[in-house]
Amino acid sequence: MKPKAIFNWSSGKDSALALYKILKEDQFEVISLLTSINKEFERISMHGVCASLLERQAESLGLNLIKMELPKDPSMEEYREIMSKTMEEIQSIGVSHSIFGDIFLEDLRKYREDQLQSIGIKAVFPLWKSDTTNLINEFLDLGFKTIVTCVNETYLDKSFAGRIIDKNFIKDLPKNVDPCGENGEFHTFTFDGPIFKNPILFEIGEVVKKTYPKPKSNLQDHNEEYVFWFCDLISK
C-alpha cells in the first residue's frame, strides 16, 4: 500500500511540475491538494488568484481540495496555529507525507520540515536542488501553460504581469531574476498541461499595484515598502 500524501498546491508552475513528477513516479497516494487562502478576499495567498479558479484546477486534476483560510494579515503565531490545526486534521485521515514544489530555499525547507516533524509527517521535495533553467524548459516542453499573476517590482516591472511564460519570456528576464522566480520575483497560475483533464478558461483582467510594509529590520532602506503588481484573472 502506498503512503498517503497531501500536496501543497500554490496554483503555479512549480507546483504543477512537482505534482507531475510525483504522479509519474507513483510512489504516493495523493489524496488532496492543500492551498492557503486569504479569507477576506477569497484569493490564493501571494499569487492573488481567485478561489474559483483554484477550485477549477482541482476539478481538472481530479483531486480533492483543502483550503486553509488565513486572516488578511496573519501574525506568525496565528499562521502556525492555523497550520498546526489543519495538519493535525490531515494526519488524522492517515496522511504521512506532505509534498512541496520548493527548489532551493534552505530556510523555508527547514521550517517546513521542523513544523511537520513535530506531528510525525515527512516533507517531500521532488524538485529540490534542480537547475531552474532546466526546470522551466522541461515545464514548457511537457506542454504546460502558465501565466504570471504577480511580480515583485524590486525585480520586474509591471509589464511582466499578465504575460504567458514562453521562451521569449525567459529571454526577457533580467540576469538577476531566477527563471522559476524561486526568490519571489514572480508568481504564476498554471492553466493547462499533461496532468489536467481540460484547460482552465479565464479572461485577463486589470493589473493592480499593491504595497506591503517591509520588516522593521529593513527600515533603513530608502523604500520602506515592497511593491507588487497583480494581474487579475477572471473565471470564464
Side-chain angles (χ1 to χ4, degrees):
M1 183 182 296
K2 291 182 289 188
K4 292 183 179 180
I6 196 85
F7 192 97
N8 294 269
W9 180 258
S10 71
S11 82
K13 56 179 177 34
D14 298 339
S15 281
L17 185 57
L19 180 58
Y20 169 84
K21 290 179 178 292
I22 285 293
L23 294 176
K24 187 176 181 181
E25 292 170 1
D26 197 28
Q27 295 180 359
F28 299 96
E29 179 189 353
V30 180
I31 65 168
S32 183
L33 306 176
L34 173 63
T35 307
S36 298
I37 297 290
N38 182 308
K39 187 176 181 179
E40 181 176 346
F41 300 110
E42 275 292 296
R43 290 180 179 269
I44 300 172
S45 303
M46 282 312 301
H47 288 235
V49 176
C50 63
S52 61
L53 285 173
L54 167 66
E55 290 162 1
R56 289 178 61 189
Q57 275 186 324
E59 182 180 354
S60 182
L61 290 167
L63 290 169
N64 180 49
L65 172 65
I66 298 172
K67 292 186 287 186
M68 187 175 75
E69 295 185 331
L70 299 172
K72 182 181 178 182
D73 297 305
S75 65
M76 185 55 71
E77 184 178 343
E78 286 176 314
Y79 177 82
R80 286 174 179 160
E81 184 178 343
I82 294 169
M83 173 60 84
S84 178
K85 182 179 178 181
T86 301
M87 293 311 298
E88 286 174 2
E89 291 173 356
I90 288 170
Q91 185 187 37
S92 71
I93 57 175
V95 169
S96 58
H97 292 73
S98 184
I99 305 169
F100 299 89
D102 301 317
I103 304 172
F104 53 62
L105 298 181
E106 297 279 2
D107 290 347
L108 183 57
R109 173 168 179 159
K110 186 178 187 309
Y111 172 78
R112 298 197 196 284
E113 289 177 327
D114 289 348
Q115 294 299 308
L116 290 169
Q117 186 177 24
S118 66
I119 57 171
I121 292 180
K122 185 175 181 180
V124 179
F125 300 86
L127 305 183
W128 191 247
K129 293 297 184 182
S130 297
D131 181 274
T132 49
T133 298
N134 291 340
L135 283 179
I136 193 62
N137 285 316
E138 179 184 5
F139 177 85
L140 295 175
D141 291 342
L142 285 167
F144 281 105
K145 295 180 182 178
T146 197
I147 184 170
V148 177
T149 59
C150 169
V151 298
N152 183 338
E153 195 179 67
T154 304
Y155 303 98
L156 296 171
D157 62 48
K158 176 183 177 181
S159 68
F160 283 88
R163 283 187 60 175
I164 302 290
I165 293 186
D166 55 16
K167 304 291 185 180
N168 288 329
F169 176 91
I170 298 169
K171 290 178 183 177
D172 290 343
L173 290 175
K175 291 183 179 180
N176 66 323
V177 172
D178 182 81
C180 283
E182 181 65 358
N183 298 305
E185 299 98 327
F186 61 92
H187 299 288
T188 59
F189 174 76
T190 301
F191 57 91
D192 200 5
I195 56 177
F196 293 95
K197 296 175 184 175
N198 49 267
I200 314 304
L201 302 180
F202 61 89
E203 294 178 351
I204 297 176
E206 64 178 332
V207 176
V208 298
K209 178 182 179 180
K210 293 191 177 182
T211 58
Y212 302 90
K214 288 185 176 180
K216 291 182 180 180
S217 60
N218 289 342
L219 287 181
Q220 67 270 21
D221 294 348
H222 293 297
N223 182 5
E224 297 183 358
E225 293 181 323
Y226 290 115
V227 178
F228 290 86
W229 292 98
F230 288 87
C231 177
D232 193 20
L233 305 181
I234 304 165
S235 182
K236 291 178 68 175

